[in-house]
């Protein structure tokens, strides 16, 4: 169990993280919030790449400062902006990281082979990282975070730069390895975590504004998500009057998805809320 108590961090007068408190057990936890909400700040503190001003982090009731290297051995981290030597091949890079993590060479080589297959880089494992696309680098960074089978995996925007097919593949892969780990995923892409997260934490300007299972959170706006079909000319007026969260061209007009506590129009019907609806409900004013 990873417990975070009253963690705060300021950059000058900018309070980026304010008394963050949460407990993480096994499974996937989504840290959701728009840019600037403090997600990376939290992840950098949890991975000891940044010092907090206040607060403490405990692993099974022991402060991580006391655990030292044994904490870092349990930790896998995919930073938001991973630095990777462009002249290394994917294989060199993973082997190098395995050495830094102090892993047994034979075991590491076997796992590296598996990971390269899992993130679909096995065919290009001897190619220079400098020749990789953003998505390929992203997948390599993910593979690196799972080296040594860490108990706690911290992923900062793991699907940034991936195409939809890769997003789904990576999402499913993360879900498959998360069963007996604590995985924390920071993202502003709700669809990446909606169906795999055990709990979602909504981080707004450094403060937890809400948290719970996706079901608990979406229940809060049950009856407030509507769908209606309007003519193209009416879309703008509807947007001025209501919080329109999705616009889709349909056969009989434009299908609007609307967040509203009253029925927007006579023919509006309620629909099952998604976590994305809830995200927009919470963050709509600062997007
Ligand atoms: P997120 O990852 O959710 O986008 P960040 O943790 O990167 O949020 O940023 C939170 C706030 O802290 C933002 O206002 C950002 O501008 C500020 N910030 C982040 N890193 C630094 C830094 N190294 N120096 C100064 N301000 C920073
Ligand atoms: Mg970030």
């Amino acid at each position: 169990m990873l417990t975070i108590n009253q963690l705060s961090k300021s950059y000058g007068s900018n309070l980026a993280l304010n008394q963050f408190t949460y407990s993480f057990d096994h499974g996937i936890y989504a840290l959701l919030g728009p840019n600037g909400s403090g997600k990376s700040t939290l992840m950098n503190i949890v991975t000891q790449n940044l010092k907090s001003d206040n607060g403490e982090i405990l692993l099974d009731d022991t402060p991580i400062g006391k655990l030292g290297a044994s904490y870092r051995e349990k930790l896998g981290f995919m930073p938001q902006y991973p630095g990777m030597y462009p002249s290394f091949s994917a294989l060199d890079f993973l082997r190098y990281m395995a050495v830094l993590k102090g892993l047994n060479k034979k075991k590491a080589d076997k796992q590296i082979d598996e990971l390269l297959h899992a993130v679909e880089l096995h065919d290009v494992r001897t190619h220079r990282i400098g020749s990789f696309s953003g998505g390929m680098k992203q997948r390599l960074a993910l593979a690196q975070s799972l080296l040594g089978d860490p108990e706690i995996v911290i992923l900062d925007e793991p699907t940034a730069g991936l195409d939809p097919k890769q997003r789904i593949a990576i999402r499913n892969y993360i879900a498959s390895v998360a069963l007996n780990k604590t995985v924390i995923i920071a993202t502003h892409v709700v669809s990446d975590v909606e169906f795999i997260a055990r709990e979602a934490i909504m981080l707004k300007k450094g403060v937890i504004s809400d948290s719970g299972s996706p079901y608990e959170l979406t229940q809060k706006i049950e009856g407030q998500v509507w769908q209606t079909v309007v003519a193209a000319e009416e879309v703008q007026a509807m947007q001025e009057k209501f919080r329109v969260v999705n616009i889709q061209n349909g056969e009989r007009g434009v299908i609007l998805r609307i967040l509203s506590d009253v029925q927007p129009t006579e023919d509006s019907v309620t629909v099952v809320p998604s976590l994305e609806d809830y995200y927009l409900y919470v963050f709509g004013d600062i997007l």
Side-chain angles (χ1 to χ4, degrees), residues 35-36 38-41 80-81 156-157 186:
N35 284 332
K39 303 184 296 297
S40 294
T41 298
Q80 184 167 12
Y81 304 107
D156 197 351
E157 310 266 2

Side-chain angles (χ1 to χ4, degrees), residues 184-227:
I184 310 175
I185 304 178
T187 184
H188 57 269
V189 185
V190 182
S191 59
D192 283 348
V193 290
E194 174 150 27
F195 301 108
I196 60 171
R198 161 184 182 161
E199 282 170 32
I201 301 159
M202 318 301 278
L203 193 63
K204 196 173 192 175
K205 295 179 183 156
V207 177
I208 297 180
S209 73
D210 207 351
S211 64
S213 70
Y215 179 74
E216 283 167 341
L217 296 176
T218 54
Q219 277 295 300
K220 297 184 181 194
I221 51 167
E222 179 77 49
Q224 296 181 47
V225 188
W226 304 85
Q227 187 168 297

Side-chain angles (χ1 to χ4, degrees), residues 32 34 202-204 209-210 217 221 243 259 276-287:
L32 291 172
M202 318 301 278
L203 193 63
K204 196 173 192 175
S209 73
D210 207 351
L217 296 176
I221 51 167
R243 194 188 272 181
L259 278 176
E276 178 140 310
D277 293 325
Y278 188 70
Y279 182 92
L280 293 165
Y281 173 80
V282 172
F283 297 111
D285 54 329
I286 51 173
L287 288 178

Side-chain angles (χ1 to χ4, degrees), residues 80-152:
Q80 184 167 12
Y81 304 107
M84 290 184 283
Y85 304 100
S87 60
F88 275 36
S89 70
L91 188 59
D92 293 337
F93 173 69
L94 291 176
R95 282 183 172 158
Y96 175 69
M97 292 306 290
V99 170
L100 290 187
K101 289 187 182 194
L103 303 180
N104 166 290
K105 177 153 171 34
K106 213 173 146 203
K107 266 196 191 161
D109 278 346
K110 184 166 173 279
Q111 197 199 8
I112 286 170
D113 207 59
E114 288 165 8
L115 285 169
L116 283 166
H117 279 292
V119 300
E120 293 178 25
L121 290 173
H122 198 264
D123 293 347
V124 294
R125 65 191 180 283
T126 57
H127 296 197
R128 291 175 69 250
I129 294 172
S131 71
F132 282 8
S133 68
M136 291 162 89
K137 286 183 197 159
Q138 202 73 2
R139 284 178 280 146
L140 181 58
L142 175 70
Q144 166 277 131
S145 74
L146 296 169
L147 272 175
D149 210 14
E151 227 172 89
I152 303 163

Side-chain angles (χ1 to χ4, degrees), residues 242-255:
F242 298 103
R243 194 188 272 181
V244 176
V245 294
N246 197 55
I247 301 173
Q248 183 183 21
N249 266 305
E251 260 172 47
R252 289 177 295 113
V254 181
I255 305 164

